């Protein structure tokens, strides 16, 4: 599962919030958690067998 955390700026409700974005390669879903509560979830495609998406943490961004 790839994961990265971003603190968003410039949006009214998410300013200063802790945002966790995780991609579950098994279920092929991306989830967005804001301050510990799931806010969004949708299907994603993470790559073909010959071009697999690497597992593990990705990026930590603070804007």
């Amino acid at each position: 599962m790839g994961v990265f955390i971003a603190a968003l700026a410039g949006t009214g409700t998410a300013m200063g919030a802790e945002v966790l974005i995780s991609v579950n390669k098994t279920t092929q879903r991306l989830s967005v958690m804001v301050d510990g509560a799931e806010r969004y979830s949708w299907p994603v495609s993470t790559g073909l067998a010959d071009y697999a998406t690497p597992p593990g943490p990705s990026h930590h961004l603070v804007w």
Side-chain angles (χ1 to χ4, degrees), residues 16-48:
E18 182 176 283
V19 178
L20 172 68
I21 301 171
S22 63
V23 176
N24 185 316
K25 289 174 42 176
T26 302
T27 63
Q28 294 289 288
R29 295 214 47 99
L30 180 142
S31 298
V32 179
M33 306 284 286
V34 178
D35 289 334
E38 186 174 77
R39 183 78 56 94
Y40 307 102
S41 177
W42 58 86
V44 294
S45 178
T46 59
L48 301 171

